[in-house]
Coordinates of all heavy atoms in Angstrom, one line a residue:
M1055 N 0.8 -1.2 0.0 CA 0.0 0.0 0.0 C 0.9 1.2 0.0 O 1.9 1.3 0.7 CB -0.9 0.0 1.2 CG -1.7 1.2 1.4 SD -2.7 1.5 2.8 CE -2.8 -0.1 3.6
A1056 N 0.5 2.3 -0.7 CA 1.3 3.5 -0.8 C 1.2 4.2 0.6 O 0.2 4.1 1.3 CB 0.7 4.4 -1.9
D1057 N 2.3 4.8 0.9 CA 2.3 5.6 2.2 C 1.4 6.8 2.0 O 1.4 7.5 1.0 CB 3.7 6.0 2.5 CG 4.5 4.9 3.0 OD1 3.9 3.9 3.6 OD2 5.7 4.9 2.9
I1058 N 0.6 7.1 3.1 CA -0.2 8.3 3.2 C 0.7 9.4 3.7 O 1.4 9.2 4.7 CB -1.4 8.1 4.1 CG1 -2.3 6.9 3.6 CG2 -2.2 9.3 4.3 CD1 -2.9 7.2 2.3
P1059 N 0.7 10.6 3.1 CA 1.5 11.6 3.7 C 1.2 11.9 5.1 O 0.0 11.9 5.5 CB 1.2 12.9 2.8 CG 0.7 12.3 1.6 CD 0.0 11.0 1.9
S1060 N 2.2 12.1 6.0 CA 1.9 12.2 7.4 C 1.1 13.5 7.7 O 0.5 13.6 8.7 CB 3.2 12.2 8.2 OG 4.0 13.3 7.8
S1061 N 1.2 14.5 6.8 CA 0.5 15.7 7.0 C -1.0 15.6 6.7 O -1.8 16.4 7.1 CB 1.0 16.8 6.1 OG 0.9 16.5 4.8
L1062 N -1.4 14.5 6.1 CA -2.8 14.3 5.8 C -3.5 13.8 7.0 O -3.1 12.7 7.6 CB -2.9 13.3 4.6 CG -4.3 13.2 3.9 CD1 -4.7 14.5 3.3 CD2 -4.2 12.1 2.9
P1063 N -4.6 14.4 7.4 CA -5.3 14.0 8.6 C -5.9 12.6 8.4 O -6.5 12.3 7.4 CB -6.4 15.0 8.9 CG -6.0 16.2 8.1 CD -5.2 15.7 6.9
S1064 N -5.8 11.7 9.4 CA -6.5 10.4 9.4 C -8.0 10.6 9.3 O -8.6 9.7 8.7 CB -6.0 9.6 10.6 OG -6.4 10.1 11.8
S1065 N -8.5 11.6 9.9 CA -9.9 11.9 9.8 C -10.4 12.0 8.4 O -11.5 11.5 8.0 CB -10.3 13.1 10.6 OG -9.6 14.2 10.3
L1066 N -9.6 12.7 7.6 CA -9.9 12.9 6.1 C -9.8 11.6 5.4 O -10.6 11.3 4.5 CB -9.0 13.9 5.5 CG -9.1 14.2 4.1 CD1 -10.5 14.8 3.8 CD2 -8.1 15.2 3.6
V1067 N -8.8 10.8 5.7 CA -8.6 9.5 5.0 C -9.8 8.6 5.3 O -10.4 8.0 4.4 CB -7.3 8.8 5.5 CG1 -7.2 7.4 4.9 CG2 -6.1 9.6 5.1
A1068 N -10.2 8.5 6.6 CA -11.4 7.7 7.0 C -12.7 8.1 6.3 O -13.4 7.3 5.8 CB -11.5 7.6 8.5
A1069 N -12.9 9.4 6.4 CA -14.2 9.9 5.8 C -14.2 9.7 4.3 O -15.2 9.4 3.7 CB -14.3 11.4 6.1
T1070 N -13.0 9.9 3.7 CA -12.9 9.7 2.2 C -13.2 8.3 1.9 O -13.8 8.0 0.8 CB -11.6 10.2 1.7 OG1 -11.4 11.6 2.0 CG2 -11.4 10.0 0.2
G1071 N -12.7 7.3 2.7 CA -13.0 5.9 2.4 C -14.4 5.6 2.5 O -14.9 4.8 1.6
L1072 N -15.2 6.1 3.5 CA -16.6 5.8 3.6 C -17.4 6.5 2.4 O -18.2 5.8 1.8 CB -17.1 6.3 4.9 CG -16.6 5.5 6.1 CD1 -16.8 6.2 7.4 CD2 -17.4 4.2 6.2
V1073 N -17.1 7.7 2.2 CA -17.8 8.4 1.1 C -17.4 7.9 -0.3 O -18.2 7.6 -1.2 CB -17.6 10.0 1.2 CG1 -18.2 10.7 0.0 CG2 -18.2 10.5 2.5
G1074 N -16.1 7.8 -0.5 CA -15.6 7.3 -1.7 C -16.0 5.9 -2.1 O -16.3 5.5 -3.2
G1075 N -16.0 5.0 -1.0 CA -16.4 3.6 -1.2 C -17.8 3.5 -1.7 O -18.1 2.8 -2.7
Y1076 N -18.7 4.3 -1.1 CA -20.1 4.3 -1.5 C -20.2 4.9 -2.9 O -20.9 4.4 -3.8 CB -21.0 5.1 -0.5 CG -22.4 5.2 -1.0 CD1 -23.2 4.0 -1.1 CD2 -22.9 6.4 -1.5 CE1 -24.5 4.1 -1.6 CE2 -24.2 6.4 -2.0 CZ -25.0 5.3 -2.1 OH -26.3 5.4 -2.6
G1077 N -19.5 6.0 -3.1 CA -19.6 6.7 -4.4 C -19.2 5.8 -5.6 O -19.8 5.6 -6.6
V1078 N -18.1 5.1 -5.4 CA -17.5 4.2 -6.4 C -18.5 3.1 -6.7 O -18.8 2.7 -7.8 CB -16.1 3.7 -6.0 CG1 -15.7 2.5 -6.9 CG2 -15.1 4.8 -6.1
A1079 N -19.0 2.5 -5.6 CA -20.0 1.4 -5.8 C -21.3 1.8 -6.5 O -21.8 1.1 -7.4 CB -20.4 0.8 -4.4
R1080 N -21.7 3.0 -6.1 CA -23.0 3.5 -6.7 C -22.7 3.9 -8.2 O -23.5 3.5 -9.1 CB -23.5 4.7 -6.0 CG -24.7 5.3 -6.6 CD -25.4 6.2 -5.6 NE -26.6 6.7 -6.3 CZ -27.7 7.0 -5.6 NH1 -27.7 6.9 -4.3 NH2 -28.7 7.5 -6.3
W1081 N -21.7 4.6 -8.5 CA -21.5 5.1 -9.8 C -21.0 4.0 -10.8 O -21.2 4.2 -12.0 CB -20.6 6.3 -9.8 CG -21.3 7.5 -9.2 CD1 -22.6 7.9 -9.4 CD2 -20.7 8.4 -8.3 NE1 -22.9 9.0 -8.6 CE2 -21.8 9.3 -7.9 CE3 -19.5 8.6 -7.7 CZ2 -21.6 10.4 -7.0 CZ3 -19.3 9.6 -6.8 CH2 -20.3 10.5 -6.5
T1082 N -20.3 3.0 -10.3 CA -19.8 2.0 -11.2 C -20.8 0.8 -11.3 O -20.7 0.0 -12.2 CB -18.4 1.4 -10.8 OG1 -18.5 0.8 -9.6 CG2 -17.4 2.5 -10.8
G1083 N -21.6 0.7 -10.3 CA -22.5 -0.5 -10.2 C -21.8 -1.7 -9.7 O -22.3 -2.8 -9.7
K1084 N -20.6 -1.6 -9.2 CA -19.7 -2.7 -8.8 C -19.4 -2.5 -7.3 O -18.5 -1.8 -6.9 CB -18.5 -2.8 -9.6 CG -18.7 -3.0 -11.1 CD -17.5 -3.1 -11.9 CE -17.7 -3.2 -13.4 NZ -18.7 -4.1 -13.8
R1085 N -20.2 -3.2 -6.5 CA -20.1 -3.1 -5.1 C -18.7 -3.6 -4.6 O -18.1 -3.0 -3.7 CB -21.2 -3.9 -4.4 CG -22.5 -3.3 -4.6 CD -23.6 -4.0 -3.9 NE -23.5 -3.8 -2.5 CZ -24.4 -4.2 -1.6 NH1 -25.5 -4.9 -2.0 NH2 -24.3 -4.0 -0.3
P1086 N -18.1 -4.7 -5.2 CA -16.8 -5.1 -4.7 C -15.7 -4.0 -5.0 O -14.8 -3.8 -4.2 CB -16.5 -6.3 -5.6 CG -17.8 -6.9 -6.0 CD -18.7 -5.7 -6.1
L1087 N -15.9 -3.2 -6.0 CA -14.9 -2.1 -6.3 C -15.1 -1.0 -5.2 O -14.1 -0.5 -4.7 CB -15.2 -1.5 -7.6 CG -14.1 -0.5 -8.1 CD1 -12.7 -1.1 -8.1 CD2 -14.5 -0.1 -9.6
G1088 N -16.3 -0.7 -4.8 CA -16.5 0.2 -3.7 C -16.0 -0.3 -2.4 O -15.4 0.4 -1.6
G1089 N -16.1 -1.6 -2.2 CA -15.6 -2.3 -1.0 C -14.1 -2.2 -0.9 O -13.5 -2.1 0.1
A1090 N -13.4 -2.3 -2.1 CA -12.0 -2.2 -2.2 C -11.5 -0.8 -1.8 O -10.6 -0.6 -1.0 CB -11.5 -2.5 -3.6
V1091 N -12.2 0.2 -2.2 CA -11.9 1.6 -1.8 C -12.1 1.8 -0.3 O -11.2 2.3 0.4 CB -12.8 2.6 -2.6 CG1 -12.7 4.0 -2.0 CG2 -12.5 2.6 -4.1
L1092 N -13.2 1.3 0.2 CA -13.5 1.3 1.6 C -12.4 0.6 2.4 O -11.9 1.1 3.4 CB -14.8 0.6 1.9 CG -15.3 0.6 3.4 CD1 -15.9 1.9 3.8 CD2 -16.3 -0.5 3.5
A1093 N -11.9 -0.6 2.0 CA -10.9 -1.3 2.7 C -9.5 -0.7 2.6 O -8.8 -0.6 3.7 CB -10.9 -2.8 2.1
V1094 N -9.1 -0.2 1.5 CA -7.8 0.4 1.3 C -7.7 1.7 2.2 O -6.8 1.9 2.9 CB -7.5 0.7 -0.1 CG1 -6.3 1.6 -0.3 CG2 -7.3 -0.6 -0.9
A1095 N -8.8 2.5 2.2 CA -8.8 3.7 3.0 C -8.8 3.4 4.5 O -8.2 4.0 5.3 CB -9.9 4.6 2.6
G1096 N -9.6 2.4 4.8 CA -9.7 2.0 6.2 C -8.3 1.5 6.7 O -7.9 1.8 7.8
A1097 N -7.6 0.7 5.9 CA -6.3 0.2 6.3 C -5.3 1.3 6.4 O -4.5 1.4 7.4 CB -5.8 -0.8 5.3
A1098 N -5.4 2.3 5.5 CA -4.5 3.4 5.6 C -4.8 4.3 6.9 O -3.9 4.7 7.6 CB -4.6 4.3 4.4
A1099 N -6.0 4.5 7.1 CA -6.4 5.2 8.3 C -6.0 4.5 9.6 O -5.5 5.1 10.5 CB -7.9 5.5 8.4
A1100 N -6.2 3.2 9.6 CA -5.8 2.4 10.8 C -4.3 2.5 11.0 O -3.9 2.5 12.2 CB -6.2 0.9 10.6
R1101 N -3.5 2.5 10.0 CA -2.1 2.6 10.1 C -1.7 4.0 10.8 O -0.9 4.0 11.7 CB -1.4 2.5 8.8 CG 0.1 2.5 8.8 CD 0.6 2.3 7.4 NE 2.1 2.4 7.4 CZ 2.8 2.3 6.4 NH1 2.3 2.2 5.2 NH2 4.1 2.5 6.5
Q1102 N -2.4 5.0 10.3 CA -2.2 6.3 10.9 C -2.6 6.4 12.3 O -1.9 7.0 13.2 CB -2.9 7.4 10.1 CG -2.3 7.7 8.7 CD -3.1 8.8 8.0 OE1 -4.3 8.7 7.8 NE2 -2.4 9.8 7.6
W1103 N -3.8 5.8 12.6 CA -4.3 5.8 14.0 C -3.3 5.1 14.9 O -3.0 5.6 16.0 CB -5.6 5.1 14.1 CG -6.7 5.9 13.4 CD1 -6.8 7.2 13.2 CD2 -7.9 5.3 12.7 NE1 -8.0 7.5 12.5 CE2 -8.6 6.3 12.2 CE3 -8.3 4.0 12.5 CZ2 -9.8 6.1 11.5 CZ3 -9.5 3.8 11.8 CH2 -10.2 4.9 11.3
R1104 N -2.7 4.0 14.5 CA -1.8 3.2 15.3 C -0.5 4.1 15.5 O 0.0 4.1 16.6 CB -1.4 1.9 14.6 CG -0.6 1.0 15.5 CD -0.3 -0.4 14.9 NE 0.2 -0.3 13.5 CZ -0.5 -0.6 12.4 NH1 -1.8 -0.9 12.5 NH2 0.1 -0.5 11.2
Q1105 N 0.0 4.7 14.5 CA 1.2 5.6 14.6 C 0.9 6.8 15.5 O 1.8 7.2 16.3 CB 1.6 6.1 13.2 CG 2.2 5.0 12.4 CD 2.5 5.5 11.0 OE1 2.0 6.5 10.5 NE2 3.2 4.7 10.2
R1106 N -0.2 7.4 15.5 CA -0.5 8.6 16.2 C -1.0 8.4 17.6 O -0.8 9.3 18.4 CB -1.5 9.5 15.4 CG -0.9 10.0 14.1 CD -1.9 10.8 13.3 NE -1.2 11.1 12.0 CZ -1.8 11.7 11.0 NH1 -3.1 12.1 11.1 NH2 -1.1 12.0 9.9
A1107 N -1.8 7.3 17.8 CA -2.5 7.2 19.1 C -2.3 5.8 19.7 O -2.9 5.6 20.8 CB -4.0 7.5 18.9
G1108 N -1.6 4.9 19.1 CA -1.4 3.6 19.7 C -2.4 2.5 19.2 O -3.4 2.8 18.6
G1109 N -2.1 1.3 19.6 CA -2.8 0.2 19.1 C -4.3 0.1 19.6 O -5.2 -0.2 18.9
G1110 N -4.5 0.5 20.9 CA -5.8 0.4 21.5 C -6.7 1.4 20.8 O -7.9 1.1 20.4
A1111 N -6.2 2.6 20.6 CA -7.0 3.6 19.9 C -7.3 3.2 18.5 O -8.4 3.4 18.0 CB -6.3 5.0 20.0
A1112 N -6.3 2.7 17.8 CA -6.5 2.2 16.4 C -7.5 1.1 16.3 O -8.4 1.2 15.4 CB -5.1 1.7 15.9
G1113 N -7.5 0.2 17.3 CA -8.5 -0.8 17.3 C -9.9 -0.3 17.5 O -10.9 -0.7 16.8
A1114 N -10.1 0.7 18.4 CA -11.4 1.3 18.7 C -11.9 2.1 17.5 O -13.0 2.0 17.1 CB -11.3 2.2 19.9
L1115 N -11.0 2.9 16.8 CA -11.3 3.6 15.7 C -11.6 2.7 14.5 O -12.5 3.0 13.7 CB -10.3 4.7 15.3 CG -10.2 5.8 16.3 CD1 -8.9 6.6 16.1 CD2 -11.4 6.7 16.2
T1116 N -10.9 1.7 14.3 CA -11.2 0.7 13.2 C -12.6 0.1 13.4 O -13.4 -0.1 12.5 CB -10.1 -0.4 13.1 OG1 -8.9 0.3 12.9 CG2 -10.4 -1.4 12.1
A1117 N -12.9 -0.3 14.7 CA -14.2 -0.8 15.0 C -15.3 0.3 14.7 O -16.4 -0.1 14.1 CB -14.3 -1.2 16.5
A1118 N -15.0 1.5 15.0 CA -16.0 2.6 14.7 C -16.2 2.7 13.2 O -17.3 2.9 12.7 CB -15.5 3.9 15.3
Y1119 N -15.1 2.6 12.4 CA -15.1 2.7 10.9 C -16.0 1.6 10.4 O -16.9 1.8 9.5 CB -13.7 2.6 10.4 CG -13.5 2.8 8.9 CD1 -13.5 4.0 8.4 CD2 -13.4 1.7 8.1 CE1 -13.3 4.2 7.0 CE2 -13.2 1.8 6.7 CZ -13.1 3.1 6.2 OH -12.9 3.3 4.8
V1120 N -15.8 0.4 10.8 CA -16.6 -0.8 10.4 C -18.1 -0.6 10.8 O -19.0 -0.9 10.0 CB -16.0 -2.1 10.9 CG1 -16.9 -3.3 10.6 CG2 -14.6 -2.3 10.3
A1121 N -18.3 -0.2 12.0 CA -19.7 0.0 12.5 C -20.4 1.1 11.7 O -21.6 1.0 11.5 CB -19.6 0.4 14.0
A1122 N -19.6 2.1 11.4 CA -20.2 3.2 10.6 C -20.7 2.7 9.2 O -21.7 3.0 8.7 CB -19.2 4.4 10.4
F1123 N -19.8 1.9 8.6 CA -20.2 1.3 7.3 C -21.4 0.4 7.5 O -22.4 0.6 6.7 CB -19.0 0.4 6.8 CG -19.4 -0.5 5.6 CD1 -19.7 0.1 4.4 CD2 -19.5 -1.8 5.8 CE1 -20.1 -0.8 3.3 CE2 -19.9 -2.7 4.8 CZ -20.2 -2.1 3.5
A1124 N -21.4 -0.4 8.4 CA -22.6 -1.3 8.7 C -23.8 -0.5 9.1 O -24.9 -0.7 8.6 CB -22.3 -2.3 9.7
G1125 N -23.7 0.5 9.9 CA -24.8 1.3 10.4 C -25.4 2.2 9.3 O -26.5 2.6 9.4
S1126 N -24.6 2.5 8.3 CA -25.1 3.4 7.3 C -26.2 2.8 6.5 O -27.1 3.5 6.0 CB -24.0 3.9 6.3 OG -23.5 2.8 5.5
H1127 N -26.2 1.5 6.4 CA -27.3 0.8 5.6 C -28.7 0.9 6.2 O -29.6 1.4 5.5 CB -26.9 -0.7 5.5 CG -25.7 -0.9 4.6 ND1 -24.4 -0.8 5.1 CD2 -25.6 -1.2 3.3 CE1 -23.6 -1.0 4.1 NE2 -24.2 -1.2 3.0
P1128 N -28.9 0.6 7.5 CA -30.2 0.8 8.1 C -30.6 2.3 8.2 O -31.7 2.7 8.0 CB -30.2 0.1 9.4 CG -28.8 -0.1 9.8 CD -28.0 -0.1 8.5
L1129 N -29.6 3.1 8.4 CA -29.8 4.6 8.5 C -30.3 5.1 7.2 O -31.1 6.0 7.1 CB -28.5 5.3 9.0 CG -28.6 6.8 9.2 CD1 -29.7 7.1 10.2 CD2 -27.2 7.3 9.6
A1130 N -29.7 4.6 6.1 CA -30.1 5.0 4.7 C -31.6 4.8 4.5 O -32.2 5.6 3.7 CB -29.3 4.3 3.7
K1131 N -32.2 3.8 5.1 CA -33.6 3.5 4.9 C -34.5 4.6 5.5 O -35.6 4.8 5.1 CB -34.0 2.1 5.4 CG -33.3 1.0 4.6 CD -33.7 -0.3 5.2 CE -33.0 -1.4 4.3 NZ -33.2 -2.7 4.8
K1132 N -33.9 5.3 6.5 CA -34.7 6.3 7.2 C -34.4 7.7 6.6 O -35.3 8.5 6.6 CB -34.3 6.3 8.7 CG -34.7 5.0 9.4 CD -34.5 5.1 10.9 CE -34.9 3.8 11.6 NZ -36.2 3.4 11.5
V1133 N -33.1 8.0 6.3 CA -32.8 9.4 5.9 C -32.3 9.5 4.4 O -32.1 10.6 3.9 CB -31.7 10.0 6.8 CG1 -32.2 10.0 8.2 CG2 -30.4 9.3 6.7
G1134 N -32.1 8.4 3.7 CA -31.6 8.4 2.4 C -30.1 8.0 2.4 O -29.4 8.1 3.4
A1135 N -29.7 7.5 1.2 CA -28.3 6.9 1.2 C -27.2 8.0 1.4 O -26.3 7.8 2.3 CB -28.1 6.3 -0.2
W1136 N -27.2 9.1 0.6 CA -26.2 10.0 0.8 C -26.1 10.7 2.2 O -25.0 10.8 2.7 CB -26.2 11.1 -0.3 CG -25.6 10.5 -1.6 CD1 -26.2 10.3 -2.8 CD2 -24.2 10.2 -1.8 NE1 -25.3 9.8 -3.7 CE2 -24.1 9.8 -3.2 CE3 -23.1 10.3 -1.0 CZ2 -22.9 9.4 -3.7 CZ3 -21.9 9.9 -1.6 CH2 -21.8 9.4 -2.9
P1137 N -27.3 11.1 2.7 CA -27.2 11.7 4.1 C -26.7 10.7 5.1 O -26.0 11.1 6.0 CB -28.7 12.1 4.3 CG -29.3 12.3 3.0 CD -28.6 11.3 2.1
A1138 N -27.0 9.4 4.9 CA -26.5 8.4 5.9 C -25.0 8.3 5.7 O -24.3 8.3 6.7 CB -27.2 7.1 5.6
V1139 N -24.5 8.2 4.5 CA -23.1 8.1 4.3 C -22.3 9.3 4.8 O -21.3 9.2 5.5 CB -22.8 7.8 2.8 CG1 -21.3 7.9 2.5 CG2 -23.3 6.5 2.4
F1140 N -22.8 10.5 4.5 CA -22.2 11.7 5.0 C -22.2 11.8 6.5 O -21.3 12.2 7.2 CB -22.8 13.0 4.4 CG -22.3 13.2 2.9 CD1 -23.3 13.4 1.9 CD2 -21.0 13.2 2.6 CE1 -22.9 13.6 0.6 CE2 -20.6 13.4 1.3 CZ -21.5 13.6 0.3
G1141 N -23.3 11.4 7.1 CA -23.5 11.4 8.5 C -22.5 10.5 9.3 O -21.8 10.9 10.2
V1142 N -22.4 9.2 8.8 CA -21.5 8.3 9.5 C -20.0 8.7 9.2 O -19.1 8.6 10.0 CB -21.7 6.8 9.1 CG1 -23.1 6.4 9.5 CG2 -21.5 6.5 7.7
A1143 N -19.7 9.2 8.0 CA -18.4 9.7 7.6 C -18.0 10.8 8.6 O -16.9 10.9 9.0 CB -18.3 10.1 6.2
G1144 N -18.9 11.7 8.8 CA -18.6 12.8 9.7 C -18.4 12.4 11.1 O -17.5 12.9 11.8
A1145 N -19.2 11.4 11.6 CA -19.0 10.9 12.9 C -17.6 10.2 13.1 O -16.9 10.4 14.1 CB -20.1 9.9 13.3
V1146 N -17.2 9.4 12.1 CA -15.9 8.8 12.2 C -14.8 9.8 12.1 O -13.8 9.7 12.8 CB -15.8 7.7 11.1 CG1 -14.4 7.2 10.9 CG2 -16.7 6.5 11.4
A1147 N -15.0 10.8 11.2 CA -14.0 11.9 11.1 C -13.8 12.6 12.4 O -12.7 12.9 12.8 CB -14.3 12.8 10.0
L1148 N -14.9 12.9 13.1 CA -14.8 13.6 14.3 C -14.1 12.8 15.4 O -13.2 13.3 16.1 CB -16.2 14.0 14.8 CG -16.3 14.8 16.1 CD1 -15.5 16.1 16.0 CD2 -17.7 15.0 16.5
A1149 N -14.5 11.5 15.5 CA -13.8 10.6 16.4 C -12.3 10.5 16.1 O -11.5 10.5 17.0 CB -14.5 9.2 16.4
S1150 N -12.0 10.3 14.9 CA -10.6 10.2 14.4 C -9.8 11.5 14.8 O -8.7 11.4 15.3 CB -10.5 9.9 12.9 OG -9.2 9.8 12.5
W1151 N -10.4 12.6 14.6 CA -9.7 13.8 14.9 C -9.5 13.9 16.4 O -8.4 14.3 16.9 CB -10.5 15.1 14.4 CG -9.8 16.3 14.9 CD1 -8.8 17.0 14.3 CD2 -10.2 17.1 16.1 NE1 -8.5 18.1 15.0 CE2 -9.3 18.2 16.1 CE3 -11.1 16.9 17.0 CZ2 -9.4 19.1 17.2 CZ3 -11.2 17.8 18.1 CH2 -10.3 18.9 18.1
A1152 N -10.5 13.6 17.2 CA -10.4 13.7 18.6 C -9.4 12.8 19.2 O -8.7 13.2 20.2 CB -11.8 13.5 19.2
V1153 N -9.3 11.6 18.7 CA -8.4 10.6 19.3 C -7.0 10.6 18.7 O -6.1 10.5 19.5 CB -9.0 9.2 19.1 CG1 -8.1 8.1 19.5 CG2 -10.4 9.1 19.8
A1154 N -6.9 10.9 17.4 CA -5.6 10.8 16.8 C -5.0 12.1 16.2 O -3.9 12.5 16.5 CB -5.6 9.7 15.7
D1155 N -5.8 12.8 15.4 CA -5.3 13.9 14.7 C -5.0 15.1 15.6 O -4.1 15.8 15.4 CB -6.3 14.3 13.6 CG -6.4 13.3 12.5 OD1 -5.5 12.5 12.4 OD2 -7.4 13.3 11.8
R1156 N -5.9 15.4 16.5 CA -5.7 16.5 17.4 C -4.4 16.5 18.1 O -3.7 17.5 18.2 CB -6.9 16.5 18.5 CG -6.7 17.6 19.5 CD -7.9 17.6 20.4 NE -8.1 16.3 20.9 CZ -8.6 16.0 22.1 NH1 -9.0 17.0 22.9 NH2 -8.8 14.8 22.6
H1157 N -4.0 15.3 18.5 CA -2.7 15.1 19.2 C -1.5 15.3 18.2 O -0.5 15.8 18.6 CB -2.6 13.8 19.9 CG -3.7 13.6 20.9 ND1 -3.8 14.4 22.0 CD2 -4.7 12.8 21.0 CE1 -4.9 14.1 22.7 NE2 -5.5 13.1 22.1
A1158 N -1.7 14.8 17.0 CA -0.7 14.9 16.0 C -0.5 16.4 15.6 O 0.6 16.8 15.5 CB -1.0 14.1 14.8
D1159 N -1.6 17.1 15.6 CA -1.5 18.6 15.3 C -0.7 19.3 16.3 O 0.1 20.1 16.0 CB -2.9 19.2 15.2 CG -3.7 18.7 14.0 OD1 -3.1 18.1 13.0 OD2 -4.9 18.9 13.9
S1160 N -0.9 19.0 17.6 CA -0.2 19.7 18.7 C 1.2 19.3 18.7 O 2.1 20.1 19.1 CB -0.9 19.4 20.0 OG -0.8 18.0 20.4
R1161 N 1.6 18.1 18.3 CA 3.0 17.7 18.2 C 3.8 18.4 17.1 O 5.0 18.6 17.2 CB 3.2 16.2 18.1 CG 2.9 15.5 19.3 CD 3.3 14.0 19.2 NE 2.6 13.3 18.1 CZ 1.5 12.6 18.3 NH1 1.0 12.5 19.4 NH2 1.0 12.0 17.2
D1162 N 3.0 18.8 16.0 CA 3.6 19.4 14.9 C 4.0 20.9 15.1 O 4.7 21.5 14.4 CB 2.7 19.3 13.7 CG 2.6 17.9 13.2 OD1 3.4 17.1 13.5 OD2 1.6 17.6 12.5
R1163 N 3.4 21.5 16.2 CA 3.7 22.9 16.4 C 5.0 23.2 17.1 O 5.5 22.5 17.8 CB 2.5 23.5 17.3 CG 1.3 23.5 16.4 CD 0.1 24.2 17.2 NE -1.1 23.9 16.4 CZ -2.2 23.8 16.9 NH1 -2.4 23.8 18.2 NH2 -3.3 23.6 16.2

């Protein structure tokens, strides 16, 4: 896997994986291709989480990423597909920033 630039927030990587995975699946009609985008971005974010916040935090954020993906499906039945995807992506991005990126930002100063 290509290295993600250290300056790129893990919150952005995770949110992009959720939104991009859904977008690719929807626009190509190939769910496995969307799943590949989701998986690659999730793995890249998990690597950043581990580097920035440790293994325990990485495990919890990875679980949140997977739960967001799974939870977006029933949520989409209530609010629509795109609002559900953007909502869960925002929630994961916020958690990622709070646990990993916020601390990385303060170390960079």
Side-chain angles (χ1 to χ4, degrees):
M1055 174 184 346
D1057 285 332
I1058 300 294
S1060 62
S1061 61
L1062 194 61
S1064 61
S1065 53
L1066 179 62
V1067 174
T1070 300
L1072 289 161
V1073 173
Y1076 175 69
V1078 166
R1080 180 163 180 152
W1081 291 317
T1082 65
K1084 299 184 186 310
R1085 293 179 74 173
L1087 188 56
V1091 170
L1092 179 82
V1094 167
R1101 182 176 178 188
Q1102 287 181 305
W1103 293 328
R1104 188 175 53 254
Q1105 290 171 344
R1106 293 178 183 175
L1115 288 168
T1116 300
Y1119 184 82
V1120 172
F1123 167 70
S1126 68
H1127 292 83
L1129 182 60
K1131 292 179 182 179
K1132 297 187 183 296
V1133 300
W1136 280 112
V1139 170
F1140 284 127
V1142 301
V1146 168
L1148 181 60
S1150 179
W1151 175 82
V1153 172
D1155 294 339
R1156 175 176 53 146
H1157 302 297
D1159 291 343
S1160 66
R1161 283 192 301 266
D1162 292 340
R1163 291 185 190 148

